[in-house]
């Protein structure tokens, strides 16, 4: 399969990332639906794979943006970063959370919505099913909170820090097992920080690496497909082989495929319907939980309700808030320019 650069990718967007997001959200939705319908742990493992791909994309994208800023200014404006993330993440999340808190109020304890609003659901081991997917968004927010400051302060040691995270995450999960903190303890930030770290490392080394050839990228797809199959067949029983070999190989393979399709964009990942699905993937991830997961199997067509609500969220919440963000940034730049000229 030949990589063909696509002229459908805007110049301010990294090619193929929306396409990878589309694959990720499709894995999550299909995996969740099939897990519930057929009681399939293999399907659940592929839903988890979708989340892991999201983590690697996030580590890669955020680190790429932060490194660009550091290269231009020799610093990272933390306040600026957090404000931009708040405009991007919070409005759509609140539009999902607040109605859910009202609809399911009788199934909530006071600390469930508090943990969700503070992005600590991954440390709330008793969270109900309709908030269960927020664990991964909590991990993302904790990453956003920690990594920019670490990168700013210890920029010269960034690779060593990330390699340390990759090495320590499996050991943390072993410690959780020894302390009998099974199951949801695997959703805490230290347990999955290695996945984000591999995405960060991909961004750091991307400029120095040659293009990954299509044959190697195709070979990397094998562990991405086979490791979740193995994990599902184990019924999510964590083994030493999985922790210390198979998952790291899978995560490195995902990062390799990402670098390949970014440097050699394929038309299928950059065609408009695929890009559109990738762009609404955040809102779709928020809403899919109610329509494809739960206590009972859902009819297949319920996914269209999730897509409809995600589209409403994207066009009426996400996009307007991003336009507000851009307008405020332009106004701030204008004020700075006026002050400089007056001086």
């Amino acid at each position: 399969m030949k990589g063909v650069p696509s002229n459908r990718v805007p110049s301010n967007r990294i090619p193929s990332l929306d396409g990878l997001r589309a694959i990720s959200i499709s894995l999550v939705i299909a995996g969740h639906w099939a897990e519930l319908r057929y009681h399939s742990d293999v399907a659940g493992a592929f839903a988890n794979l979708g989340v892991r791909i999201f983590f690697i994309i996030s580590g890669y994208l955020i680190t790429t943006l932060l490194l660009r800023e550091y290269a231009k200014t020799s610093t990272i404006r933390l306040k600026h970063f957090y404000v931009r993330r708040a405009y991007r993440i919070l409005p759509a999340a609140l539009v999902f959370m607040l109605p859910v808190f009202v609809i399911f109020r009788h199934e909530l304890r006071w600390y469930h919505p508090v943990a969700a609003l503070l992005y600590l659901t991954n440390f709330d081991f008793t969270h109900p099913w309709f908030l269960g997917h927020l664990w991964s968004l909590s991990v993302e927010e904790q990453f956003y909170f920690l990594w920019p400051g670490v990168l700013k302060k210890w920029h010269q040691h960034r690779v060593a820090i990330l390699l340390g995270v990759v090495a320590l995450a499996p050991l943390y999960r072993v410690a959780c097992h020894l302390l009998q903190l099974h199951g949801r303890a695997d959703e805490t930030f230290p347990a999955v920080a290695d996945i984000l770290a591999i995405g960060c490392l991909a961004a750091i080394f991307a400029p120095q690496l040659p293009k990954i050839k299509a044959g190697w990228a195709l070979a990397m797809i094998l562990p991405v497909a086979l490791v979740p199959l193995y994990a599902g067949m184990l019924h999510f029983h964590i083994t030493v082989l999985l922790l210390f070999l198979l998952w790291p190989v899978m995560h490195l393979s995902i990062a390799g495929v990402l670098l390949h399709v970014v440097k050699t964009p394929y038309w299928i990942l950059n065609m408009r319907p695929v890009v559109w699905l990738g762009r609404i993937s955040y809102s779709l991830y928020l809403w899919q939980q109610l329509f494809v997961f739960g206590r009972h199997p859902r009819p297949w067509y319920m996914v269209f309700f999730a897509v409809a609500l995600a589209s409403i969220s994207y066009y009426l919440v996400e996009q307007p808030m991003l336009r507000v963000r851009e307008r405020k940034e332009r106004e701030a730049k204008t004020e700075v320019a006026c002050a400089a000229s007056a001086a």
Side-chain angles (χ1 to χ4, degrees):
M1 183 168 59
K2 185 178 179 181
V4 180
S6 171
N7 58 7
R8 295 181 179 181
V9 183
S11 60
N12 62 337
R13 301 182 74 90
I14 298 176
S16 304
L17 285 195
D18 283 322
L20 291 177
R21 290 190 185 101
I23 292 173
S24 301
I25 193 61
S26 298
L27 285 169
V28 170
I29 291 174
H32 276 170
W33 183 84
E35 180 182 14
L36 202 63
R37 171 65 63 176
Y38 301 110
H39 307 288
S40 169
D41 287 334
V42 170
F46 277 97
N48 184 260
L49 170 64
V51 173
R52 290 169 184 266
I53 295 172
F54 273 127
F55 284 161
I56 289 175
I57 292 172
S58 182
Y60 172 80
L61 176 61
I62 294 302
T63 304
T64 297
L65 297 176
L66 293 174
L67 290 176
R68 285 178 183 173
E69 181 181 5
Y70 194 91
K72 290 179 180 179
T73 66
S74 298
T75 190
I76 294 170
R77 297 171 294 167
L78 296 180
K79 180 181 177 181
H80 177 74
F81 174 83
Y82 295 137
V83 169
R84 287 184 62 85
R85 287 290 91 195
Y87 273 106
R88 174 70 181 88
I89 299 298
L90 295 182
L94 289 175
V95 166
F96 167 79
M97 288 184 199
L98 296 181
V100 165
F101 293 160
V102 174
I103 295 169
F104 295 99
R105 60 188 180 279
H106 298 301
E107 300 181 45
L108 289 169
R109 297 193 175 185
W110 66 268
Y111 48 83
H112 295 321
V114 171
L117 290 167
L118 295 177
Y119 286 95
L120 294 171
T121 297
N122 58 329
F123 287 97
D124 174 13
F125 299 154
T126 64
H127 58 249
W129 68 268
F130 48 87
L131 299 179
H133 63 314
L134 299 184
W135 79 268
S136 60
L137 299 183
S138 298
V139 168
E140 293 271 8
E141 287 299 313
Q142 290 153 24
F143 168 66
Y144 297 152
F145 179 74
L146 293 170
W147 177 234
V150 170
L151 185 59
K152 178 181 180 178
K153 187 170 184 178
W154 293 290
H155 184 267
Q156 299 300 320
H157 306 289
R158 59 194 184 277
V159 173
I161 292 170
L162 291 169
L163 290 176
V165 171
V166 172
L168 289 175
L171 298 177
Y172 169 85
R173 297 187 78 154
V174 171
C176 288
H177 174 77
L178 295 175
L179 294 171
Q180 297 185 342
L181 298 174
H182 307 302
R184 287 179 173 174
D186 292 335
E187 298 175 351
T188 54
F189 181 78
V192 293
D194 57 325
I195 311 173
L196 290 154
I198 287 175
C200 298
L201 287 168
I204 291 170
F205 288 109
Q208 307 165 30
L209 294 174
K211 283 187 177 182
I212 297 173
K213 294 183 178 180
W216 283 106
L218 189 62
M220 290 176 184
I221 293 175
L222 287 177
V224 177
L226 295 178
V227 173
L229 183 64
Y230 171 75
M233 292 174 66
L234 290 177
H235 306 293
F236 296 109
H237 177 70
I238 306 301
T239 66
V240 172
L241 178 64
L242 199 58
L243 271 181
F244 291 94
L245 179 61
L246 297 184
W247 271 340
V249 168
M250 184 184 76
H251 299 149
L252 288 170
S253 297
I254 295 170
V257 171
L258 183 153
L259 292 177
H260 172 69
V261 300
V262 164
K263 292 187 176 183
T264 310
Y266 290 86
W267 68 270
I268 195 168
L269 290 176
N270 296 287
M271 60 190 299
R272 288 182 180 177
V274 176
V275 169
W276 175 80
L277 183 60
R279 290 183 181 178
I280 70 164
S281 61
Y282 171 54
S283 284
L284 184 52
Y285 183 78
L286 285 168
W287 287 101
Q288 56 80 32
Q289 188 84 352
L290 302 183
F291 296 96
V292 301
F293 203 63
R295 296 194 181 100
H296 307 288
R298 305 284 199 249
W300 63 269
Y301 55 80
M302 294 296 286
V303 67
F304 293 109
F305 290 94
V307 172
L309 286 171
S311 299
I312 292 170
S313 174
Y314 178 76
Y315 289 110
L316 300 185
V317 180
E318 287 190 58
Q319 288 299 294
M321 292 306 299
L322 291 179
R323 286 194 290 269
V324 170
R325 183 185 75 180
E326 299 305 319
R327 187 178 72 247
K328 288 186 176 294
E329 288 181 351
R330 287 196 302 268
E331 291 172 353
K333 289 179 180 178
T334 302
E335 289 178 3
V336 170
C338 291
S341 60

